[in-house]
Amino acid sequence: MTIESIPLLETRQTPFFGHQAAFRADRVGLLEEVRQRCGDLGRIRLGPISVVVVTAPGPALEVLQHRAEDFQKSRGLGVLARPLLGQGLLSSEGELHRSRRKLIAPAFYKSAIGGYGDTILKATAETLDGLVPGQTIDVGEVMMALTLKIVGRTLFHAEVEGQTRAVGQAFTAASEALVAQLGSPLPLPWPWPSAANLRLRRASAALHQVVEEVIVARKRSQDPAPDLLRLLLEMRDEGGQGLSSDALRDEVVTLFLAGHETTANALTWAFDQLDRHPKVAARLAAEAQALDEPLTANVLPRLPYALAVLKETMRLYPPAYFVGRRALRDTQLSGHRLPKGTTVFVAIREVHRRPELYPEPELFRPERFLDGAEERLPKGAFLPFGAGPRICIGNHFALMEGQLILAALARRFGLRRPKFQAPLPLDPLITLRPGSKVELQVTSAFGQPPGPEGTKPFARQLA
Ligand code: HEM
């Protein structure tokens, strides 16, 4: 069978441009339609390019894991992200990627991240200390600031909370520029001074400045703490050469971005869902409040429901809702011959919404991840962190961080919408963000009605 035997999505096409307009305007809806109409594998056309879309666990694992050596990252991360991420871990390939991954991996071993628990909890407590029942908070903004603070402190011993806005703006501008390029019929090489490229360059420069300040401060500091930045600074190859300043900057920018935006998104969606499911919120609070000892990384096994809430949120709203690959050579996918150069999108959100894996898939039910239910799913059915050699290096870190933040908040407060809000629109750029602000009022506990209105928004109170 050839690539032509993979069903093409017949709907939402325009002459010459194929599904380009639909991809730009409604990426998530388009990928969903591929799952519904084409089955495990489908095809869309982005201008002259035919893209294979994978929506089932088996072929997803084939691309990401079993035939991983036949693929590299697709244009989005591999080429277009270059001005922002350079040759950092997310975007590098081949031998360079393998050697860096080996170098960086120990900072993310389970044994190492256990030690980050206290830092995560201290940063979370500082954030919670600033909350007062009755106050309205922009949950997305608070979570971005918190997760950025956590990644800065745990990996780099850096205080970057004050830079949240600069980092956030840079990330958004970069994501918009990348997505505009990805859906463009004629993507321009990034040195070309198009409006999108100029925005991307400006955003990258702002972010690089923040990161260079972090690196300079760490080089000057006498603090011998063995964090990831010290490891990168002290790294030497066989010839005694350290990382060049560009390489160092690329790795730090990558970890800053990859390490906070995704987790903040997942938590923001989680609080949105908790508000819409009061019984789930009450069970989460009961679990967290029943702990008869201080919250530390050691008590994580006693918080299975917090973890289930996080996982169920990422099933419905996976921050990386699809990942792209390009065939390096002629290869196979579920018996179809794919020619060298074929682009494949693994539609993670669509894998997570298959009814035979997750009955009534659109419903938010954390119980799907309790009592060993996850182990009974077929391999590849739950892929929020991808799979294979490019699986998220921070997956255990992110799960621990999310579980601790959910439990810490649920022990002290609740969050509640003052009045009903329809399901949020999606804002799918590089990651899947809520399309409007998640503004919730702090209550004394989950399940409590909102307090009096009129207190200052959280961000302004911090300023
Ligand atoms: C809920 C949180 C997170 C989600 C959903 C997530 C998701 C992902 C996914 C799907 C990939 C694979 C991309 C691909 O295959 O093309 C990835 C890669 C990566 N993630 Fe995460 N991530 C999260 C948190 C983190 C954290 C906390 C860090 C670091 C502190 C991190 C650092 C990275 C890096 C460096 C890579 C590239 C790994 C490589 O290619 O070797 N991520 N992430």
Side-chain angles (χ1 to χ4, degrees):
M1 287 188 294
T2 65
I3 185 171
E4 302 298 326
S5 46
I6 298 175
L8 177 74
L9 181 68
E10 299 287 353
T11 52
R12 303 174 78 173
Q13 302 192 72
T14 54
F16 303 114
F17 298 107
H19 299 93
Q20 200 123 41
F23 184 78
R24 280 187 150 197
D26 178 24
R27 252 177 306 291
V28 171
L30 184 71
L31 298 178
E32 191 167 291
E33 208 161 318
V34 173
R35 169 172 58 79
Q36 286 164 346
R37 289 177 182 266
C38 304
D40 294 5
L41 296 181
R43 260 185 317 132
I44 55 172
R45 290 195 306 113
L46 298 180
I49 305 167
S50 189
V51 176
V52 176
V53 179
V54 174
T55 66
L61 284 187
E62 237 182 294
V63 175
L64 298 178
Q65 191 169 358
H66 307 314
R67 296 183 193 276
E69 71 283 3
D70 286 350
F71 292 94
Q72 62 176 26
K73 299 252 166 146
S74 59
R75 227 159 29 92
L77 273 178
V79 181
L80 300 177
R82 195 116 309 156
L84 181 66
L85 303 175
Q87 297 264 53
L89 198 58
L90 199 60
S91 40
S92 59
E93 295 289 349
E95 194 38 48
L96 179 64
H97 171 262
R98 262 187 297 277
S99 64
R100 291 285 163 73
R101 175 113 189 178
K102 212 162 126 200
L103 175 79
I104 294 173
F108 292 96
Y109 288 162
K110 276 194 174 167
S111 51
I113 60 170
Y116 301 151
D118 287 349
T119 309
I120 293 172
L121 283 164
K122 185 166 176 290
T124 307
E126 288 166 12
T127 297
L128 297 182
D129 287 345
L131 301 186
V132 185
Q135 164 190 21
T136 299
I137 60 169
D138 174 343
V139 179
E141 192 172 88
V142 173
M143 289 302 133
M144 284 295 170
L146 175 56
T147 56
L148 186 68
K149 177 158 75 170
I150 289 172
V151 86
R153 286 187 188 171
T154 49
L155 299 184
F156 308 120
H157 275 78
E159 292 296 334
V160 284
E161 208 185 346
Q163 317 289 343
T164 309
R165 196 145 294 175
V167 175
Q169 279 168 355
F171 186 79
T172 304
S175 303
E176 282 168 359
L178 293 183
V179 170
Q181 283 270 47
L182 201 65
S184 152
L186 239 188
L188 300 165
W190 69 263
W192 189 268
S194 66
N197 281 351
L198 287 175
R199 266 203 308 279
L200 179 55
R201 270 198 249 166
R202 269 199 301 275
S204 303
L207 204 57
H208 288 173
Q209 196 184 331
V210 171
V211 163
E212 263 152 24
E213 281 165 19
V214 167
I215 295 173
V216 168
R218 190 79 177 102
K219 277 182 177 161
R220 283 211 201 104
S221 131
Q222 303 299 313
D223 185 352
D227 62 9
L228 182 59
L229 187 47
R230 178 75 51 223
L231 193 84
L232 291 168
L233 283 168
E234 287 171 1
M235 177 205 164
R236 295 289 174 271
D237 63 17
E238 293 97 54
Q241 284 286 346
L243 284 184
S244 72
S245 54
D246 281 2
L248 187 61
R249 184 200 60 205
D250 292 349
E251 295 302 354
V252 178
V253 169
T254 297
L255 287 160
F256 258 124
L257 286 187
H260 90 286
E261 216 266 350
T262 39
T263 315
N265 272 327
L267 285 165
T268 306
W269 282 114
F271 288 115
D272 171 67
Q273 289 300 303
L274 287 168
D275 173 58
R276 293 173 195 279
H277 299 87
K279 281 192 186 143
V280 174
R283 185 165 172 191
L284 172 73
E287 177 185 83
Q289 288 163 13
L291 279 181
D292 47 10
E293 55 182 312
L295 187 56
T296 62
N298 295 334
V299 303
L300 287 174
R302 294 180 59 193
L303 296 166
Y305 200 67
L307 185 59
V309 166
L310 183 65
K311 287 184 171 178
E312 176 65 348
T313 304
M314 290 196 292
R315 181 187 69 79
L316 279 173
Y317 302 100
Y321 58 107
F322 80 97
V323 294
R325 293 291 188 269
R326 196 151 49 101
L328 276 170
R329 52 187 77 91
D330 293 351
T331 182
Q332 297 265 332
L333 178 58
S334 301
H336 299 271
R337 279 196 312 278
L338 299 192
K340 177 180 173 184
T342 304
T343 298
V344 181
F345 289 167
V346 177
I348 292 175
R349 176 182 180 274
E350 302 318 312
V351 174
H352 289 177
R353 287 183 182 235
R354 294 184 71 96
E356 76 278 15
L357 301 174
Y358 302 99
E360 300 185 279
E362 67 291 350
L363 298 186
F364 180 73
R365 274 193 202 137
E367 289 68 23
R368 300 183 207 266
F369 291 94
L370 285 181
D371 304 324
E374 191 182 346
E375 281 78 63
R376 292 191 290 277
L377 288 168
K379 283 201 167 60
F382 185 58
L383 292 169
F385 299 109
R390 307 301 299 247
I391 194 171
C392 177
I393 203 169
N395 60 353
H396 300 299
F397 183 120
L399 289 177
M400 176 177 84
E401 181 183 11
Q403 196 181 357
L404 285 176
I405 292 174
L406 281 173
L409 191 136
R411 282 190 113 185
R412 283 177 64 179
F413 297 112
L415 292 174
R416 198 91 180 87
R417 260 189 192 88
K419 52 182 185 297
F420 173 78
Q421 189 183 9
L424 301 177
L426 303 175
D427 182 19
L429 289 171
I430 300 290
T431 53
L432 187 61
R433 296 173 173 193
S436 59
K437 282 187 180 179
V438 178
E439 288 185 315
L440 300 178
Q441 242 179 14
V442 180
T443 62
S444 53
F446 268 116
Q448 299 294 312
E453 290 206 44
T455 31
K456 282 193 247 169
F458 182 65
R460 245 179 282 145
Q461 212 178 60
L462 273 183

